[in-house]
Amino acid sequence: MSGKFVVGYDGSVSSRRALEFAVDRARAQGGTIVLAHVLEWSPYSFLTPSELEERHKRRREEMERAEKAITSTVVAELQDSGMPVETVIRYGNTADLLCRIAKEVNAVQIVIGRDGQSAIGARVFGSVAGALVQTAPVPCTIVP
C-alpha cells in the first residue's frame, strides 16, 4: 500500500520527530512525504490598503525565508536518502490547512509533533493537535 503522508513541519524538534516517524511509515509502505509548512496568519484584521500591500509583501518574504531556511535542507536530506518528497508552504490556520492539504494530495495520513503545550494553554488558545483530531479527513498521528 503506497500513499502520501502529510507532515506538519516547522523546523522544531517535535516536528523533526514527526517527520522521522512518517518517513519510517512511508518507507515501509512505498509512500511519499508531503512536507507542509504553515505560516500562521489571521484574515480577521482590518487594514488600510497600504497596510494590506505591506502585509502581502511580508508574506512573500516570509514564504521565501521558510522555503530556504526550513524546508530546503530537509528536502535535500530526504531526496539524498531516496525518499520521495513534495513541499507545500501556505499561510493561514495550521489545522485547517493541514486538513485541506491532505484532501488536495489524497493523503493517507497526517503526522504532526506535539510541542508540549500546557493543558491550560491548549484550553485557552486551542491546539493544532486537538483541532486535527476532530476535523482531519484522514487518520492523524500526533508524535510525542
Side-chain angles (χ1 to χ4, degrees), residues 106-125:
N106 295 317
V108 296
Q109 189 171 14
I110 299 171
V111 181
I112 63 166
R114 187 183 71 210
D115 67 1
Q117 183 176 345
S118 71
I120 293 224
R123 283 190 202 113
V124 172
F125 301 111

Side-chain angles (χ1 to χ4, degrees), residues 35-57:
L35 199 65
H37 180 71
V38 177
L39 297 159
E40 282 284 336
W41 174 72
S42 171
Y44 304 110
S45 299
F46 298 102
L47 304 171
T48 66
S50 63
E51 289 171 326
L52 276 173
E53 185 178 322
E54 179 62 28
R55 189 175 197 182
H56 288 300
K57 179 183 172 193

